[in-house]
Amino acid sequence: MMTLLFLISLLAVFIACSYFKTPVSVWTGATAAVLLGFSIAGQPGWILLTLFWLLLIVVAVPLNYLPWRRQWLTAPILSMFEKMTPQISETERVALEAGTVGFEGELFSGRPRWSRFIKKPLHELSVEEQAFIDGPVEELCDMINDWEISHYRGGLSDEVWDHLRKSGFFGMIIPKKYGGLEFSAVAHRAVLEKLAGLSSSVGSVVAVPNSLGPAELLLHYGTDEQKDHYLPRLASGEEIPCFGLTSTTAGSDATSIADYGVVCKQKWKGKQTLGIKLNFEKRYITLAPVATVVGLAFRLYDPDGLLGDTNDIGISVALVPADTPGMEIGRRHFPLNNPFPNGPIIGKDVFIPLDYLLGGVEHAGQGWRMLVESLSVGRAISLPSSTSGGAKAAALTTGAYARIRKQFNLPIGRFEGVEEALARIAGHTYAISALSRLTASVVDDGEKPSVPGAIAKYHCTELSRDIIKDAMDVHGGKGIVLGPKNYLGRAWQGAPIWITVEGANILTRTMMIFGQGAIRCHPYVLKELEALEIKDDDKRLVEFDRVLFSHIGHSISCAVRSFVLGLSFARFAAVPGDRRTRKYYRKLTRYSAAFAYLADIVMLTYGGKLKQKEKISGRLGDVLSQLYICSAMLRRFEHDGRPAADQAILAWAFHDAIYKIQVAMRGVIDNYPFAWVRPFLRLVIFPLGRGERAPNDRLGHKVAALLLSPSETRNRLTRGIYISDRTGHPAGVMEKLLPDVIAAEPLERRKLKALRSGEISGYTFEEQLEQAREKGIFSDTEADFLLDVRKRVLEIVSVDDFELEELQAGLSKRGDEIRKKAA
């Protein structure tokens, strides 16, 4: 019995010290105290006590006496580490240094500080920004006719372009001293969200100049002369910018672009000028067909040493006027029937003076750094905001349509199959909205969220694709017949576009989220790599020893915390929240520790080869992403004041994300290369088995019902999108009709009861209604109301049809004439 008590006491010391991540000296002292106490008691026998005293001396003395530890333990590990760790390339170093680390670093630590996270408020719109949303943005939405844009014009009308210029849409990120609006990232998000919910073409035109475009680069790297020249013109819309990055042979791998420039001398405006001769072939460049100035990325060479001793100077960026001789620009791509301006840019022997280099000659070769630093901000705003707007529009219209459209005398939203789709739409919309708002708010905090930006880009676009798929399924034929009455078709066609741009999603998931996060966000990995670069041998050993044993303690602590928290359902974890949300914080605390431990095991196992293990990296990226998305949702819920009515949507979205975490972790463990280690990993990560479940049917029913009726929850879920019925837009018309449809349902049931009992008959709705009026089943007011609702419902569920000539004229020169005739 005493032997068992002795072993339990030692185990308790190990677990407690590991869980609370105590220093080695504390762990040694606590273990020695247990041994001393049992030694004084003379139990459980001198042989066992002597064995443990010897074990403690052998282990603890080298660990606590630093000269011995560094000589016997750290030095051999350092030597091995230097051999197995690949050299970080300059390209990778720039990418790692480009962003900042925020709350995602705490998730990587296994010890997120929830109270600090949720107490920090999300940024709100200023009075000026809200006025812009309510004024110029609302006016622009009134002008938008996406069918006209996509089918007849193949682009925006002159009226829309004029409004964009006059109202300052192209200068949202430009400071007021240059004539811009100087809006916050949250305001930038709100504008894009509202526009993209109506038209992805208009949204794209506004997004590009305010994200990865010359304005963003000029603000950070431009010379004073460049800023003074271009920024006022960009803010007013006098100059329309585009950015040429993607080459024909290098898409996501921007460092391998084949476009190049050679430093040389040539006549420029009649004078012999030192400049650059460019040759390039770009494609997929948004706004290129209408651009007046092109931000151009290329590799710069100086074979004659005109700038110095370096031949390959590196990736550089220049601002090139579109009318520069040799530039071919203006032709268009046609990305999946979405006619936002997008096309190729080609140049052969295009000569530009050196002062066209962004930032001047001093910034030659700094293009890669410029791009990754700017892209981390743009990626966190543009596509997440746009897809959030599209998701909200789909949720609003699909919920209304599912209540308005009836089959078998029931709203289709009451059928369980449709309920499943509605629940997914609502839950995913909640997640997208929370994620996009958090990343925008983080930008306003002054961060450059490279990892959260990649998370937001990937998951917002993927979830929005799932949402539009479900929305199309619910709408059936209504969704697939294009025309003025269709508000989903172009979004369905365009979904793969947002998956592809700003870094293809496959690459983003498998290489960027965890690939960058593993080094950038981990509390020790980057410090270990930096220690390897210390030139002085003694200093390198001392620093590496310090970081290494902190890392080892971190890994042991995360393993123990994962096991203990999993075994206890994290009931003893110190977390904020109320009765409903405290369990969510506990789950995230548990899985944060499990993720941190699993990530360490994987990195230790694969080392530098983890780059090639994209499936494993992708699954770990999924875990980090879902932890971050859950954090964003909880922060939104807290910011909204913990509304009880939103609890069902939060619960659905949270359980969906946690289940995905379990699936991803299982995938990592099941594919771990050493089969004999897998049972131990399962024990540490899932000590009571895999208990997470996808959202159940009862919860899905509650969530689906929230989309079918007007409510504060539905308003919060879809806030920020355009719902006016002034121009006859279907979303606004349906929102106005929905309360009347609900009010008409008791009358429809009364009519159906009379029809089944034989009180009334007739072949048409109108005949039946007239009989019901005559027999007093309905009053005149009720009958007129039913007839009006019926007429408006038929208008909503109707679809378009065309003469062949009108379809053939879609993008022809006669399009305007035929459109007017058809109208």
Side-chain angles (χ1 to χ4, degrees), residues 651-673:
W652 193 100
F654 186 88
H655 287 300
D656 179 65
I658 290 294
Y659 182 70
K660 290 174 180 175
I661 288 175
Q662 178 179 274
V663 170
M665 284 186 164
R666 178 183 179 181
V668 174
I669 296 172
D670 289 350
N671 290 278
Y672 189 73

Side-chain angles (χ1 to χ4, degrees), residues 517-574:
I519 299 176
R520 193 75 184 89
C521 303
H522 194 284
Y524 300 107
V525 170
L526 185 58
K527 294 176 182 177
E528 288 168 337
L529 295 175
E530 290 172 342
L532 294 182
E533 298 180 357
I534 297 175
K535 301 301 181 183
D536 184 277
D537 290 344
D538 292 336
K539 290 182 179 178
R540 181 169 67 252
L541 181 62
V542 169
E543 178 61 16
F544 186 77
D545 174 81
R546 183 187 69 80
V547 178
L548 173 66
F549 280 91
S550 294
H551 191 167
I552 292 172
H554 164 77
S555 297
I556 294 173
S557 176
C558 287
V560 171
R561 282 173 58 82
S562 174
F563 178 77
V564 171
L565 293 172
L567 205 60
S568 64
F569 299 101
R571 291 189 183 277
F572 306 109

Side-chain angles (χ1 to χ4, degrees), residues 438-451:
L438 177 60
T439 51
S441 196
V442 162
V443 171
D444 281 333
D445 287 335
E447 294 188 28
K448 294 181 178 178
S450 56
V451 174

Side-chain angles (χ1 to χ4, degrees), residues 373-386:
E373 288 182 349
S374 298
L375 190 59
S376 67
V377 174
R379 186 185 283 124
I381 299 174
S382 296
L383 286 173
S385 304
S386 299

